[in-house]
Structure formats: C-alpha cells, structure tokens
Amino acid sequence: MSRNFFPALCAIGVGVFTGYYTFQPTFQQLQYQKEQAQKTSPPSDPAALKQDTKTPVKGDFQQDPKSTTQ
C-alpha cells in the first residue's frame, strides 16, 4: 500500500510547484498594484460611506392602474 502513496505524493508535489511557478508573477503583480492603490487612495471619509438616502425605494413608485396583481 505504501508504494501507492509515492506516485501520488510526487504528482501532488509537482502540481503544487507548477502552480506556484506559473502564478507567482501574477501574485507579485497583484500585490504591487494593491500596495500602489493603498498609497494613492485618499483617507476614508465615514460620512461619504453612508448609504444615499435619496435613492428611491419600492414604496416611492406608483403602481400601474392597469395592473391586475396586487
């Protein structure tokens, strides 16, 4: 049974190494972009993050008088 584990472990190891080698440049680029975005973004304003109170809600719309569903 132990001789069945060796090929499986080798396949897993090769797969992990291949994924790391393949996607490493992409991960480095994403990390660089994230760092640049944090450096250039203005500080968060809690007042600006509040939900817009002027957006219409379901009750603000008039129902079509010809509509049969209520």
Side-chain angles (χ1 to χ4, degrees):
M1 176 128 183
S2 64
R3 63 183 174 163
N4 292 337
F5 287 128
F6 183 70
L9 290 176
C10 284
I12 292 170
V14 168
V16 169
F17 175 75
T18 303
Y20 175 77
Y21 183 77
T22 302
F23 293 110
Q24 182 184 15
T26 305
F27 291 142
Q28 288 176 344
Q29 182 181 10
L30 290 173
Q31 182 180 8
Y32 176 77
Q33 289 175 352
K34 184 177 178 182
E35 290 172 357
Q36 293 303 317
Q38 288 177 351
K39 288 179 183 178
T40 60
S41 66
S44 298
D45 182 17
L49 297 176
K50 289 183 180 178
Q51 184 178 2
D52 185 13
T53 57
K54 296 179 182 179
T55 56
V57 292
K58 186 177 180 181
D60 294 340
F61 294 106
Q62 293 180 357
Q63 186 176 2
D64 185 12
K66 296 179 183 177
S67 176
T68 58
T69 59
Q70 293 183 2

Short mmCIF file of all heavy atoms in Angstrom, two decimals:
data_model
loop_
_atom_site.label_atom_id
_atom_site.label_comp_id
_atom_site.label_asym_id
_atom_site.label_seq_id
_atom_site.Cartn_x
_atom_site.Cartn_y
_atom_site.Cartn_z
N MET A 1 0.82 -1.19 0.00
CA MET A 1 0.00 0.00 0.00
C MET A 1 0.87 1.26 0.00
O MET A 1 0.50 2.26 -0.60
CB MET A 1 -0.91 -0.03 1.23
CG MET A 1 -1.74 1.20 1.38
SD MET A 1 -3.43 0.74 1.59
CE MET A 1 -4.17 2.31 1.64
N SER A 2 2.01 1.22 0.68
CA SER A 2 2.85 2.41 0.75
C SER A 2 3.46 2.76 -0.60
O SER A 2 3.78 3.92 -0.84
CB SER A 2 3.96 2.21 1.79
OG SER A 2 4.82 1.16 1.38
N ARG A 3 3.60 1.81 -1.48
CA ARG A 3 4.17 2.14 -2.79
C ARG A 3 3.15 2.88 -3.66
O ARG A 3 3.51 3.47 -4.67
CB ARG A 3 4.68 0.90 -3.50
CG ARG A 3 3.64 -0.11 -3.82
CD ARG A 3 4.27 -1.31 -4.46
NE ARG A 3 3.21 -2.32 -4.61
CZ ARG A 3 3.29 -3.34 -5.40
NH1 ARG A 3 4.38 -3.54 -6.10
NH2 ARG A 3 2.31 -4.18 -5.48
N ASN A 4 1.88 2.87 -3.27
CA ASN A 4 0.87 3.65 -3.98
C ASN A 4 0.90 5.12 -3.56
O ASN A 4 0.42 5.98 -4.29
CB ASN A 4 -0.53 3.08 -3.73
CG ASN A 4 -0.72 1.72 -4.37
OD1 ASN A 4 -0.02 1.38 -5.33
ND2 ASN A 4 -1.65 0.95 -3.83
N PHE A 5 1.44 5.39 -2.38
CA PHE A 5 1.50 6.77 -1.91
C PHE A 5 2.58 7.57 -2.60
O PHE A 5 2.43 8.77 -2.81
CB PHE A 5 1.74 6.81 -0.39
CG PHE A 5 0.54 6.42 0.42
CD1 PHE A 5 0.65 5.44 1.40
CD2 PHE A 5 -0.69 7.01 0.22
CE1 PHE A 5 -0.44 5.08 2.15
CE2 PHE A 5 -1.79 6.67 0.97
CZ PHE A 5 -1.66 5.68 1.93
N PHE A 6 3.69 6.93 -2.95
CA PHE A 6 4.81 7.65 -3.54
C PHE A 6 4.43 8.34 -4.86
O PHE A 6 4.71 9.54 -5.01
CB PHE A 6 6.01 6.72 -3.73
CG PHE A 6 7.21 7.43 -4.26
CD1 PHE A 6 7.91 8.33 -3.48
CD2 PHE A 6 7.63 7.22 -5.57
CE1 PHE A 6 9.01 9.00 -3.96
CE2 PHE A 6 8.73 7.89 -6.07
CZ PHE A 6 9.43 8.78 -5.26
N PRO A 7 3.81 7.66 -5.82
CA PRO A 7 3.42 8.37 -7.05
C PRO A 7 2.41 9.49 -6.79
O PRO A 7 2.47 10.56 -7.43
CB PRO A 7 2.80 7.29 -7.93
CG PRO A 7 3.31 6.01 -7.40
CD PRO A 7 3.55 6.23 -5.94
N ALA A 8 1.49 9.26 -5.86
CA ALA A 8 0.51 10.30 -5.55
C ALA A 8 1.18 11.52 -4.93
O ALA A 8 0.87 12.66 -5.30
CB ALA A 8 -0.56 9.75 -4.61
N LEU A 9 2.11 11.30 -4.01
CA LEU A 9 2.82 12.42 -3.40
C LEU A 9 3.68 13.16 -4.42
O LEU A 9 3.76 14.39 -4.38
CB LEU A 9 3.68 11.93 -2.23
CG LEU A 9 2.92 11.46 -0.99
CD1 LEU A 9 3.88 10.91 0.05
CD2 LEU A 9 2.11 12.60 -0.41
N CYS A 10 4.29 12.43 -5.33
CA CYS A 10 5.08 13.09 -6.38
C CYS A 10 4.18 13.94 -7.28
O CYS A 10 4.54 15.07 -7.63
CB CYS A 10 5.82 12.04 -7.21
SG CYS A 10 7.25 11.35 -6.37
N ALA A 11 3.03 13.41 -7.65
CA ALA A 11 2.11 14.16 -8.50
C ALA A 11 1.61 15.42 -7.79
O ALA A 11 1.51 16.50 -8.40
CB ALA A 11 0.93 13.28 -8.90
N ILE A 12 1.31 15.30 -6.51
CA ILE A 12 0.86 16.47 -5.74
C ILE A 12 1.97 17.50 -5.65
O ILE A 12 1.74 18.70 -5.84
CB ILE A 12 0.36 16.04 -4.35
CG1 ILE A 12 -0.92 15.23 -4.48
CG2 ILE A 12 0.17 17.24 -3.44
CD1 ILE A 12 -1.36 14.56 -3.20
N GLY A 13 3.18 17.05 -5.37
CA GLY A 13 4.32 17.96 -5.27
C GLY A 13 4.59 18.69 -6.58
O GLY A 13 4.83 19.89 -6.59
N VAL A 14 4.55 17.95 -7.69
CA VAL A 14 4.78 18.57 -9.00
C VAL A 14 3.67 19.56 -9.31
O VAL A 14 3.91 20.64 -9.84
CB VAL A 14 4.90 17.48 -10.09
CG1 VAL A 14 4.84 18.10 -11.48
CG2 VAL A 14 6.18 16.69 -9.92
N GLY A 15 2.42 19.22 -8.95
CA GLY A 15 1.31 20.13 -9.20
C GLY A 15 1.42 21.42 -8.41
O GLY A 15 1.16 22.51 -8.93
N VAL A 16 1.80 21.30 -7.14
CA VAL A 16 1.95 22.49 -6.31
C VAL A 16 3.08 23.36 -6.83
O VAL A 16 2.95 24.59 -6.94
CB VAL A 16 2.18 22.09 -4.83
CG1 VAL A 16 2.61 23.28 -4.00
CG2 VAL A 16 0.93 21.47 -4.25
N PHE A 17 4.22 22.75 -7.17
CA PHE A 17 5.35 23.51 -7.69
C PHE A 17 4.99 24.20 -9.01
O PHE A 17 5.33 25.36 -9.21
CB PHE A 17 6.56 22.61 -7.88
CG PHE A 17 7.73 23.31 -8.52
CD1 PHE A 17 8.49 24.20 -7.79
CD2 PHE A 17 8.03 23.11 -9.85
CE1 PHE A 17 9.56 24.87 -8.38
CE2 PHE A 17 9.08 23.77 -10.45
CZ PHE A 17 9.86 24.65 -9.72
N THR A 18 4.30 23.49 -9.88
CA THR A 18 3.92 24.06 -11.18
C THR A 18 2.98 25.24 -10.99
O THR A 18 3.12 26.28 -11.64
CB THR A 18 3.27 22.99 -12.06
OG1 THR A 18 4.16 21.90 -12.22
CG2 THR A 18 2.90 23.55 -13.42
N GLY A 19 2.00 25.10 -10.09
CA GLY A 19 1.09 26.21 -9.82
C GLY A 19 1.80 27.41 -9.25
O GLY A 19 1.54 28.56 -9.64
N TYR A 20 2.72 27.17 -8.33
CA TYR A 20 3.49 28.27 -7.74
C TYR A 20 4.33 28.97 -8.80
O TYR A 20 4.35 30.19 -8.90
CB TYR A 20 4.38 27.72 -6.61
CG TYR A 20 5.31 28.76 -6.03
CD1 TYR A 20 4.85 29.72 -5.13
CD2 TYR A 20 6.66 28.78 -6.37
CE1 TYR A 20 5.69 30.67 -4.60
CE2 TYR A 20 7.51 29.73 -5.85
CZ TYR A 20 7.03 30.67 -4.96
OH TYR A 20 7.87 31.62 -4.46
N TYR A 21 5.02 28.18 -9.60
CA TYR A 21 5.90 28.73 -10.63
C TYR A 21 5.10 29.49 -11.69
O TYR A 21 5.52 30.53 -12.18
CB TYR A 21 6.69 27.59 -11.29
CG TYR A 21 7.68 28.05 -12.33
CD1 TYR A 21 8.90 28.61 -11.96
CD2 TYR A 21 7.40 27.94 -13.69
CE1 TYR A 21 9.82 29.03 -12.90
CE2 TYR A 21 8.31 28.36 -14.65
CZ TYR A 21 9.51 28.91 -14.25
OH TYR A 21 10.40 29.33 -15.19
N THR A 22 3.93 28.98 -12.01
CA THR A 22 3.11 29.60 -13.05
C THR A 22 2.48 30.91 -12.58
O THR A 22 2.47 31.91 -13.31
CB THR A 22 2.00 28.63 -13.49
OG1 THR A 22 2.60 27.42 -13.96
CG2 THR A 22 1.14 29.22 -14.59
N PHE A 23 1.93 30.92 -11.36
CA PHE A 23 1.16 32.07 -10.90
C PHE A 23 1.94 33.05 -10.05
O PHE A 23 1.41 34.09 -9.67
CB PHE A 23 -0.08 31.59 -10.13
CG PHE A 23 -1.06 30.88 -11.00
CD1 PHE A 23 -1.26 29.51 -10.87
CD2 PHE A 23 -1.78 31.54 -11.97
CE1 PHE A 23 -2.16 28.84 -11.68
CE2 PHE A 23 -2.68 30.89 -12.78
CZ PHE A 23 -2.87 29.53 -12.64
N GLN A 24 3.20 32.80 -9.77
CA GLN A 24 3.99 33.70 -8.95
C GLN A 24 4.07 35.12 -9.54
O GLN A 24 3.86 36.09 -8.81
CB GLN A 24 5.39 33.14 -8.73
CG GLN A 24 6.25 34.02 -7.84
CD GLN A 24 7.66 33.49 -7.71
OE1 GLN A 24 8.08 32.63 -8.47
NE2 GLN A 24 8.39 34.01 -6.76
N PRO A 25 4.34 35.29 -10.85
CA PRO A 25 4.37 36.66 -11.39
C PRO A 25 3.04 37.40 -11.25
O PRO A 25 3.00 38.59 -10.96
CB PRO A 25 4.73 36.46 -12.86
CG PRO A 25 5.38 35.12 -12.93
CD PRO A 25 4.74 34.31 -11.85
N THR A 26 1.95 36.67 -11.41
CA THR A 26 0.63 37.30 -11.28
C THR A 26 0.38 37.74 -9.85
O THR A 26 -0.12 38.85 -9.60
CB THR A 26 -0.47 36.32 -11.73
OG1 THR A 26 -0.18 35.88 -13.05
CG2 THR A 26 -1.83 36.97 -11.70
N PHE A 27 0.74 36.90 -8.88
CA PHE A 27 0.56 37.26 -7.48
C PHE A 27 1.43 38.46 -7.09
O PHE A 27 0.99 39.34 -6.35
CB PHE A 27 0.86 36.08 -6.56
CG PHE A 27 -0.15 34.97 -6.66
CD1 PHE A 27 0.26 33.65 -6.59
CD2 PHE A 27 -1.50 35.22 -6.81
CE1 PHE A 27 -0.65 32.62 -6.68
CE2 PHE A 27 -2.42 34.20 -6.91
CZ PHE A 27 -1.99 32.89 -6.83
N GLN A 28 2.65 38.50 -7.62
CA GLN A 28 3.51 39.64 -7.33
C GLN A 28 2.95 40.92 -7.94
O GLN A 28 3.00 41.99 -7.32
CB GLN A 28 4.92 39.38 -7.87
CG GLN A 28 5.68 38.35 -7.09
CD GLN A 28 7.03 38.03 -7.68
OE1 GLN A 28 7.30 38.37 -8.83
NE2 GLN A 28 7.88 37.38 -6.91
N GLN A 29 2.40 40.82 -9.14
CA GLN A 29 1.82 41.99 -9.78
C GLN A 29 0.60 42.48 -9.01
O GLN A 29 0.42 43.69 -8.81
CB GLN A 29 1.42 41.66 -11.22
CG GLN A 29 0.84 42.83 -11.97
CD GLN A 29 0.44 42.46 -13.39
OE1 GLN A 29 0.43 41.28 -13.75
NE2 GLN A 29 0.09 43.45 -14.19
N LEU A 30 -0.26 41.57 -8.56
CA LEU A 30 -1.43 41.96 -7.78
C LEU A 30 -1.03 42.61 -6.47
O LEU A 30 -1.65 43.58 -6.02
CB LEU A 30 -2.33 40.75 -7.54
CG LEU A 30 -3.06 40.20 -8.75
CD1 LEU A 30 -3.77 38.89 -8.40
CD2 LEU A 30 -4.06 41.22 -9.27
N GLN A 31 0.00 42.07 -5.83
CA GLN A 31 0.47 42.64 -4.58
C GLN A 31 1.01 44.06 -4.81
O GLN A 31 0.72 44.98 -4.03
CB GLN A 31 1.55 41.76 -3.96
CG GLN A 31 2.06 42.27 -2.63
CD GLN A 31 3.14 41.38 -2.05
OE1 GLN A 31 3.62 40.46 -2.71
NE2 GLN A 31 3.52 41.65 -0.83
N TYR A 32 1.75 44.24 -5.89
CA TYR A 32 2.29 45.56 -6.21
C TYR A 32 1.16 46.56 -6.48
O TYR A 32 1.18 47.69 -5.99
CB TYR A 32 3.21 45.47 -7.43
CG TYR A 32 3.74 46.79 -7.90
CD1 TYR A 32 4.77 47.43 -7.22
CD2 TYR A 32 3.20 47.41 -9.02
CE1 TYR A 32 5.26 48.65 -7.65
CE2 TYR A 32 3.67 48.64 -9.45
CZ TYR A 32 4.71 49.25 -8.77
OH TYR A 32 5.18 50.46 -9.19
N GLN A 33 0.16 46.14 -7.24
CA GLN A 33 -0.97 47.02 -7.54
C GLN A 33 -1.75 47.37 -6.27
O GLN A 33 -2.20 48.50 -6.11
CB GLN A 33 -1.89 46.37 -8.56
CG GLN A 33 -1.31 46.30 -9.95
CD GLN A 33 -2.20 45.54 -10.92
OE1 GLN A 33 -3.19 44.93 -10.52
NE2 GLN A 33 -1.84 45.56 -12.18
N LYS A 34 -1.90 46.41 -5.38
CA LYS A 34 -2.62 46.66 -4.14
C LYS A 34 -1.85 47.67 -3.28
O LYS A 34 -2.45 48.57 -2.70
CB LYS A 34 -2.80 45.35 -3.37
CG LYS A 34 -3.61 45.47 -2.12
CD LYS A 34 -3.80 44.12 -1.47
CE LYS A 34 -4.58 44.23 -0.17
NZ LYS A 34 -4.73 42.94 0.49
N GLU A 35 -0.53 47.52 -3.21
CA GLU A 35 0.27 48.46 -2.43
C GLU A 35 0.21 49.86 -3.04
O GLU A 35 0.12 50.85 -2.30
CB GLU A 35 1.72 47.97 -2.36
CG GLU A 35 1.91 46.75 -1.50
CD GLU A 35 3.31 46.17 -1.60
OE1 GLU A 35 4.13 46.69 -2.40
OE2 GLU A 35 3.58 45.19 -0.89
N GLN A 36 0.25 49.96 -4.35
CA GLN A 36 0.18 51.26 -5.01
C GLN A 36 -1.18 51.91 -4.80
O GLN A 36 -1.28 53.12 -4.61
CB GLN A 36 0.48 51.13 -6.50
CG GLN A 36 1.90 50.73 -6.80
CD GLN A 36 2.92 51.69 -6.21
OE1 GLN A 36 2.76 52.89 -6.29
NE2 GLN A 36 3.96 51.14 -5.61
N ALA A 37 -2.24 51.11 -4.82
CA ALA A 37 -3.58 51.65 -4.61
C ALA A 37 -3.74 52.17 -3.19
O ALA A 37 -4.40 53.19 -2.97
CB ALA A 37 -4.62 50.58 -4.91
N GLN A 38 -3.12 51.51 -2.23
CA GLN A 38 -3.21 51.96 -0.85
C GLN A 38 -2.42 53.25 -0.64
O GLN A 38 -2.81 54.11 0.15
CB GLN A 38 -2.71 50.89 0.11
CG GLN A 38 -3.64 49.71 0.23
CD GLN A 38 -3.09 48.62 1.13
OE1 GLN A 38 -1.94 48.67 1.54
NE2 GLN A 38 -3.90 47.63 1.43
N LYS A 39 -1.33 53.40 -1.36
CA LYS A 39 -0.52 54.61 -1.22
C LYS A 39 -1.20 55.82 -1.85
O LYS A 39 -1.06 56.93 -1.36
CB LYS A 39 0.84 54.40 -1.87
CG LYS A 39 1.75 53.48 -1.11
CD LYS A 39 3.07 53.31 -1.83
CE LYS A 39 3.98 52.34 -1.11
NZ LYS A 39 5.25 52.12 -1.83
N THR A 40 -1.92 55.61 -2.94
CA THR A 40 -2.50 56.73 -3.67
C THR A 40 -3.94 57.03 -3.29
O THR A 40 -4.47 58.06 -3.67
CB THR A 40 -2.46 56.47 -5.19
OG1 THR A 40 -3.20 55.28 -5.48
CG2 THR A 40 -1.03 56.32 -5.68
N SER A 41 -4.60 56.15 -2.54
CA SER A 41 -6.00 56.39 -2.20
C SER A 41 -6.11 57.42 -1.08
O SER A 41 -5.30 57.43 -0.15
CB SER A 41 -6.70 55.09 -1.79
OG SER A 41 -6.15 54.61 -0.59
N PRO A 42 -7.12 58.28 -1.15
CA PRO A 42 -7.32 59.26 -0.08
C PRO A 42 -7.86 58.54 1.16
O PRO A 42 -8.40 57.45 1.08
CB PRO A 42 -8.37 60.21 -0.66
CG PRO A 42 -9.10 59.39 -1.68
CD PRO A 42 -8.09 58.42 -2.22
N PRO A 43 -7.72 59.16 2.31
CA PRO A 43 -8.24 58.54 3.53
C PRO A 43 -9.76 58.39 3.45
O PRO A 43 -10.45 59.19 2.83
CB PRO A 43 -7.83 59.50 4.64
CG PRO A 43 -7.46 60.77 3.96
CD PRO A 43 -7.08 60.43 2.56
N SER A 44 -10.25 57.36 4.08
CA SER A 44 -11.69 57.09 4.05
C SER A 44 -12.45 58.13 4.85
O SER A 44 -12.06 58.52 5.94
CB SER A 44 -11.97 55.70 4.63
OG SER A 44 -11.34 54.73 3.86
N ASP A 45 -13.56 58.57 4.29
CA ASP A 45 -14.45 59.52 4.97
C ASP A 45 -15.70 58.76 5.38
O ASP A 45 -16.47 58.33 4.52
CB ASP A 45 -14.81 60.66 4.02
CG ASP A 45 -15.69 61.72 4.67
OD1 ASP A 45 -15.76 61.74 5.92
OD2 ASP A 45 -16.29 62.51 3.93
N PRO A 46 -15.92 58.57 6.68
CA PRO A 46 -17.10 57.79 7.11
C PRO A 46 -18.41 58.40 6.63
O PRO A 46 -19.36 57.69 6.37
CB PRO A 46 -17.02 57.82 8.63
CG PRO A 46 -15.62 58.20 8.95
CD PRO A 46 -15.10 58.97 7.78
N ALA A 47 -18.47 59.72 6.49
CA ALA A 47 -19.71 60.36 6.04
C ALA A 47 -19.99 60.01 4.58
O ALA A 47 -21.14 59.89 4.18
CB ALA A 47 -19.62 61.86 6.22
N ALA A 48 -18.95 59.83 3.78
CA ALA A 48 -19.13 59.51 2.37
C ALA A 48 -19.53 58.05 2.17
O ALA A 48 -20.08 57.70 1.14
CB ALA A 48 -17.86 59.81 1.61
N LEU A 49 -19.24 57.22 3.16
CA LEU A 49 -19.56 55.81 3.04
C LEU A 49 -21.00 55.49 3.42
O LEU A 49 -21.45 54.38 3.19
CB LEU A 49 -18.61 54.98 3.92
CG LEU A 49 -17.14 55.07 3.54
CD1 LEU A 49 -16.30 54.28 4.53
CD2 LEU A 49 -16.91 54.54 2.13
N LYS A 50 -21.72 56.46 3.98
CA LYS A 50 -23.11 56.22 4.35
C LYS A 50 -23.95 56.00 3.11
O LYS A 50 -23.66 56.52 2.04
CB LYS A 50 -23.67 57.40 5.14
CG LYS A 50 -23.10 57.51 6.53
CD LYS A 50 -23.76 58.66 7.26
CE LYS A 50 -23.19 58.79 8.66
NZ LYS A 50 -23.78 59.91 9.37
N GLN A 51 -25.03 55.25 3.28
CA GLN A 51 -25.91 54.96 2.15
C GLN A 51 -26.65 56.24 1.73
O GLN A 51 -27.04 57.04 2.56
CB GLN A 51 -26.92 53.89 2.54
CG GLN A 51 -27.81 53.45 1.39
CD GLN A 51 -28.76 52.35 1.81
OE1 GLN A 51 -28.78 51.95 2.96
NE2 GLN A 51 -29.55 51.88 0.88
N ASP A 52 -26.81 56.40 0.44
CA ASP A 52 -27.52 57.55 -0.10
C ASP A 52 -28.99 57.46 0.31
O ASP A 52 -29.67 56.49 0.01
CB ASP A 52 -27.39 57.58 -1.62
CG ASP A 52 -28.00 58.84 -2.22
OD1 ASP A 52 -28.29 59.78 -1.46
OD2 ASP A 52 -28.18 58.86 -3.45
N THR A 53 -29.49 58.48 1.00
CA THR A 53 -30.87 58.45 1.48
C THR A 53 -31.85 58.95 0.43
O THR A 53 -33.05 58.88 0.63
CB THR A 53 -31.01 59.33 2.75
OG1 THR A 53 -30.57 60.65 2.45
CG2 THR A 53 -30.19 58.75 3.89
N LYS A 54 -31.37 59.45 -0.69
CA LYS A 54 -32.24 59.96 -1.73
C LYS A 54 -32.60 58.92 -2.78
O LYS A 54 -33.34 59.22 -3.71
CB LYS A 54 -31.59 61.17 -2.41
CG LYS A 54 -31.39 62.34 -1.47
CD LYS A 54 -30.74 63.50 -2.16
CE LYS A 54 -30.50 64.63 -1.16
NZ LYS A 54 -29.84 65.77 -1.79
N THR A 55 -32.09 57.72 -2.64
CA THR A 55 -32.42 56.68 -3.62
C THR A 55 -33.85 56.23 -3.41
O THR A 55 -34.31 56.09 -2.28
CB THR A 55 -31.47 55.48 -3.50
OG1 THR A 55 -31.53 54.98 -2.16
CG2 THR A 55 -30.05 55.85 -3.85
N PRO A 56 -34.58 56.03 -4.48
CA PRO A 56 -35.98 55.62 -4.34
C PRO A 56 -36.09 54.20 -3.80
O PRO A 56 -35.26 53.34 -4.07
CB PRO A 56 -36.53 55.71 -5.76
CG PRO A 56 -35.34 55.62 -6.64
CD PRO A 56 -34.19 56.17 -5.87
N VAL A 57 -37.13 53.97 -3.04
CA VAL A 57 -37.43 52.64 -2.52
C VAL A 57 -38.71 52.15 -3.17
O VAL A 57 -39.39 52.89 -3.89
CB VAL A 57 -37.56 52.64 -0.98
CG1 VAL A 57 -36.23 52.93 -0.32
CG2 VAL A 57 -38.59 53.64 -0.53
N LYS A 58 -39.06 50.91 -2.92
CA LYS A 58 -40.20 50.30 -3.58
C LYS A 58 -41.50 51.09 -3.34
O LYS A 58 -42.32 51.25 -4.24
CB LYS A 58 -40.37 48.87 -3.09
CG LYS A 58 -41.43 48.10 -3.81
CD LYS A 58 -41.49 46.67 -3.33
CE LYS A 58 -42.55 45.89 -4.05
NZ LYS A 58 -42.65 44.51 -3.60
N GLY A 59 -41.68 51.66 -2.17
CA GLY A 59 -42.89 52.40 -1.85
C GLY A 59 -43.00 53.74 -2.57
O GLY A 59 -44.07 54.32 -2.64
N ASP A 60 -41.89 54.24 -3.10
CA ASP A 60 -41.90 55.53 -3.79
C ASP A 60 -42.49 55.46 -5.19
O ASP A 60 -42.83 56.48 -5.77
CB ASP A 60 -40.49 56.10 -3.87
CG ASP A 60 -39.94 56.45 -2.50
OD1 ASP A 60 -40.75 56.62 -1.56
OD2 ASP A 60 -38.71 56.55 -2.37
N PHE A 61 -42.57 54.29 -5.76
CA PHE A 61 -43.07 54.13 -7.11
C PHE A 61 -44.58 53.96 -7.10
O PHE A 61 -45.14 53.28 -6.25
CB PHE A 61 -42.43 52.93 -7.80
CG PHE A 61 -40.95 53.09 -8.01
CD1 PHE A 61 -40.04 52.40 -7.24
CD2 PHE A 61 -40.47 53.93 -8.99
CE1 PHE A 61 -38.69 52.54 -7.43
CE2 PHE A 61 -39.11 54.08 -9.19
CZ PHE A 61 -38.22 53.39 -8.40
N GLN A 62 -45.24 54.57 -8.08
CA GLN A 62 -46.68 54.42 -8.19
C GLN A 62 -46.97 53.14 -8.96
O GLN A 62 -46.30 52.82 -9.94
CB GLN A 62 -47.29 55.60 -8.92
CG GLN A 62 -47.20 56.89 -8.16
CD GLN A 62 -47.82 58.04 -8.94
OE1 GLN A 62 -48.27 57.86 -10.06
NE2 GLN A 62 -47.86 59.21 -8.33
N GLN A 63 -48.02 52.45 -8.51
CA GLN A 63 -48.38 51.21 -9.18
C GLN A 63 -49.18 51.54 -10.44
O GLN A 63 -49.98 52.48 -10.47
CB GLN A 63 -49.22 50.33 -8.26
CG GLN A 63 -49.50 48.96 -8.84
CD GLN A 63 -50.24 48.09 -7.85
OE1 GLN A 63 -50.56 48.52 -6.76
NE2 GLN A 63 -50.50 46.86 -8.24
N ASP A 64 -48.97 50.75 -11.48
CA ASP A 64 -49.67 50.92 -12.74
C ASP A 64 -51.16 50.63 -12.51
O ASP A 64 -51.51 49.57 -12.00
CB ASP A 64 -49.10 49.97 -13.80
CG ASP A 64 -49.71 50.20 -15.16
OD1 ASP A 64 -50.40 51.22 -15.35
OD2 ASP A 64 -49.49 49.35 -16.05
N PRO A 65 -52.08 51.57 -12.85
CA PRO A 65 -53.50 51.34 -12.59
C PRO A 65 -54.05 50.16 -13.39
O PRO A 65 -55.05 49.57 -13.01
CB PRO A 65 -54.18 52.64 -12.98
CG PRO A 65 -53.18 53.41 -13.75
CD PRO A 65 -51.84 52.88 -13.43
N LYS A 66 -53.44 49.80 -14.50
CA LYS A 66 -53.92 48.69 -15.30
C LYS A 66 -53.45 47.34 -14.77
O LYS A 66 -53.88 46.30 -15.25
CB LYS A 66 -53.45 48.84 -16.75
CG LYS A 66 -54.00 50.08 -17.43
CD LYS A 66 -53.48 50.18 -18.82
CE LYS A 66 -53.97 51.45 -19.50
NZ LYS A 66 -53.42 51.60 -20.84
N SER A 67 -52.58 47.36 -13.80
CA SER A 67 -52.03 46.12 -13.27
C SER A 67 -53.10 45.34 -12.51
O SER A 67 -53.89 45.91 -11.75
CB SER A 67 -50.86 46.42 -12.34
OG SER A 67 -50.39 45.24 -11.76
N THR A 68 -53.17 44.03 -12.73
CA THR A 68 -54.17 43.20 -12.06
C THR A 68 -53.60 42.55 -10.81
O THR A 68 -54.34 42.07 -9.98
CB THR A 68 -54.69 42.11 -13.00
OG1 THR A 68 -53.60 41.33 -13.45
CG2 THR A 68 -55.41 42.73 -14.18
N THR A 69 -52.29 42.49 -10.67
CA THR A 69 -51.70 41.87 -9.48
C THR A 69 -51.53 42.91 -8.40
O THR A 69 -51.19 44.06 -8.66
CB THR A 69 -50.34 41.25 -9.82
OG1 THR A 69 -49.49 42.28 -10.32
CG2 THR A 69 -50.48 40.14 -10.85
N GLN A 70 -51.80 42.52 -7.19
CA GLN A 70 -51.67 43.44 -6.07
C GLN A 70 -50.95 42.79 -4.94
O GLN A 70 -51.03 41.70 -4.63
CB GLN A 70 -53.04 43.91 -5.61
CG GLN A 70 -53.72 44.76 -6.66
CD GLN A 70 -55.07 45.28 -6.15
OE1 GLN A 70 -55.46 45.03 -5.02
NE2 GLN A 70 -55.77 46.00 -6.99
#
